[in-house]
Amino acid sequence: MAENRIQQIAAKAVIVVRGKILILHPSAIDNNRNWHFPGGRRDNMNEEIENTAKREVLEETGIDLSLAHGRVIMVREWVANNNKESVQIMGVFFRYDMDAEPKIKLSEEHDRFVWLNSSSIADLNVNKEVPEILKILGV
């Protein structure tokens, strides 16, 4: 018998500055302890998916992408646990290019950030989409 799962949509922002991408490390309040891209789940179905990415980036990092135009570079699905309930997530990854590293003010959801490239990934425990994106972008 097939398992029933709640399905949700998430948007992630791949912010690129001079060949490096921004990733965040979740704080102790998050069960996911791997480094990942800023972003999160859509709060309501009327929110455009790119606006979800922009809202989440602002909430998590203080970076305002409201005037930026991202482009979709990857769509992936994964299973997460939300309050001990299995959730199927469809994630849309948007690329945003910036000329300079913006000032970052982390929310309580994250405790560290790093500007990453393929040579600096070895020592970090990252979600599986991070090396995929590095390869796609060639950084």
Side-chain angles (χ1 to χ4, degrees):
M1 183 174 190
E3 179 182 353
N4 290 328
R5 288 192 183 129
I6 295 172
Q7 294 185 330
Q8 296 183 344
I9 308 256
K12 298 286 190 168
V14 179
I15 300 171
V16 182
V17 176
R18 293 184 298 242
K20 293 185 178 183
I21 58 173
L22 176 66
I23 60 172
L24 308 176
H25 187 268
S27 67
I29 66 172
D30 191 339
N31 291 333
N32 171 14
R33 301 302 296 149
N34 296 334
W35 289 84
H36 58 245
F37 296 108
R41 297 177 193 167
R42 182 160 59 180
D43 285 343
N44 90 48
M45 294 306 287
N46 294 323
E47 182 178 48
E48 291 183 18
I49 193 65
E50 186 177 4
N51 288 340
T52 298
K54 292 176 179 183
R55 175 183 50 76
E56 286 285 340
V57 166
L58 185 60
E59 290 172 6
E60 294 177 357
T61 68
I63 299 171
D64 184 0
L65 295 174
S66 61
L67 299 178
H69 297 287
R71 70 176 201 268
V72 175
I73 57 172
M74 187 169 77
V75 176
R76 287 288 182 269
E77 290 185 86
W78 63 90
V79 175
N81 288 314
N82 187 15
N83 298 323
K84 298 183 181 181
E85 191 168 37
S86 186
V87 179
Q88 182 77 25
I89 305 214
M90 164 104 32
V92 181
F93 293 77
F94 292 89
R95 177 181 178 155
Y96 296 93
D97 290 287
M98 302 182 87
D99 295 329
E101 290 180 13
K103 182 179 179 190
I104 295 176
K105 183 178 185 225
L106 293 176
S107 72
E108 65 181 19
E109 294 177 38
H110 298 92
D111 55 21
R112 289 174 280 164
F113 71 91
V114 69
W115 291 97
L116 179 74
N117 62 23
S118 57
S119 64
S120 59
I121 194 172
D123 296 330
L124 301 176
N125 188 20
V126 298
N127 280 355
K128 66 181 180 178
E129 68 274 2
V130 174
E132 289 179 55
I133 297 271
L134 284 170
K135 188 174 182 178
I136 289 169
L137 300 181
V139 296

